Amino acid sequence: METSEVLDLLRESDALLEGHFELSSGLHSNRYFQCALGLCDPKRAEVFANGLAAKLPYEVDLVVGPALGAVVWAQEVARALGKPAFFTERKDGQMLLRRGFTIEPGTKVLVVEDVITTGGSAREVVDLLQELGAEVCGVGTLVNRSGGNPYEDLGMELIALAMVEVVTWEKGDCPLCAEGTDLTKPGSKTVLISGGGAG
């Protein structure tokens, strides 16, 4: 799949919004991804997962993603590969493997995330799996909006179905605020602030 095809499917499902957004970090951006909307249709999720599976240059035994955002994505990618899927969870700030999931040392694992922004959550999963003796082959994502490969220092490849440039600004430096473009705060209930007044 080409990036343009992925983005078209995400737009159709309102999983990619374009405009003026305040992110949970407080930064402002011209694009917002809510991949859960893109993955809620099993047929579309299957298309995405098959696309990522076709890009993998190696075989894996298991697919693991962090809850909550990557649970469905991990399951779909695992199904495309004919392998099982696990998910990790945070408890008291620590990434853990729970619910009876166990990993044998030497298990070849693909870590997946729906959207990579800073890469932090997937890195925590990689660290956990390596501590458990797994061989993490790489990280796979539906959308990479990080601007690069956050796992390069680990010698690990990032395989993305779509590479996307997303511009962010500090609130005081946002040109969309300066233009008076309406600001949306996704992630909770949609809030429109006329003229970008909060920006």
Side-chain angles (χ1 to χ4, degrees), residues 81-113:
L81 294 171
K83 303 296 180 181
F86 290 174
F87 58 86
T88 61
E89 301 170 82
R90 268 201 200 83
K91 185 174 182 187
D92 301 324
Q94 184 179 3
M95 195 68 80
L96 300 170
L97 198 60
R98 304 173 67 200
R99 303 180 189 273
F101 293 146
T102 57
I103 294 179
E104 294 293 321
T107 301
K108 293 183 177 180
V109 182
L110 173 69
V111 172
V112 297
E113 181 67 289

Side-chain angles (χ1 to χ4, degrees), residues 64-182:
V64 180
L68 187 62
V71 172
V72 171
W73 181 230
Q75 184 71 34
E76 290 296 333
V77 172
R79 186 158 64 112
L81 294 171
K83 303 296 180 181
F86 290 174
F87 58 86
T88 61
E89 301 170 82
R90 268 201 200 83
K91 185 174 182 187
D92 301 324
Q94 184 179 3
M95 195 68 80
L96 300 170
L97 198 60
R98 304 173 67 200
R99 303 180 189 273
F101 293 146
T102 57
I103 294 179
E104 294 293 321
T107 301
K108 293 183 177 180
V109 182
L110 173 69
V111 172
V112 297
E113 181 67 289
D114 56 351
V115 181
I116 298 286
T117 301
T118 64
S121 293
R123 181 180 286 264
E124 288 179 65
V125 178
V126 170
D127 290 344
L128 169 64
L129 296 174
Q130 288 178 334
E131 286 170 18
L132 295 172
E135 180 187 335
V136 180
C137 299
V139 178
T141 186
L142 178 53
V143 175
N144 177 15
R145 54 166 286 172
S146 72
N149 177 2
Y151 315 103
E152 197 167 5
D153 63 314
L154 301 176
M156 202 165 289
E157 188 177 3
L158 172 61
I159 298 169
L161 204 53
M163 296 284 289
V164 181
E165 182 179 348
V166 178
V167 183
T168 58
W169 304 276
E170 294 289 342
K171 193 184 288 189
D173 299 324
C174 176
L176 299 174
C177 286
E179 292 168 6
T181 307
D182 285 348

Side-chain angles (χ1 to χ4, degrees), residues 32-46:
Y32 181 80
F33 288 91
Q34 179 51 272
C35 283
L37 290 173
L39 295 169
C40 67
D41 176 354
K43 290 189 185 302
R44 188 169 47 240
E46 182 180 18

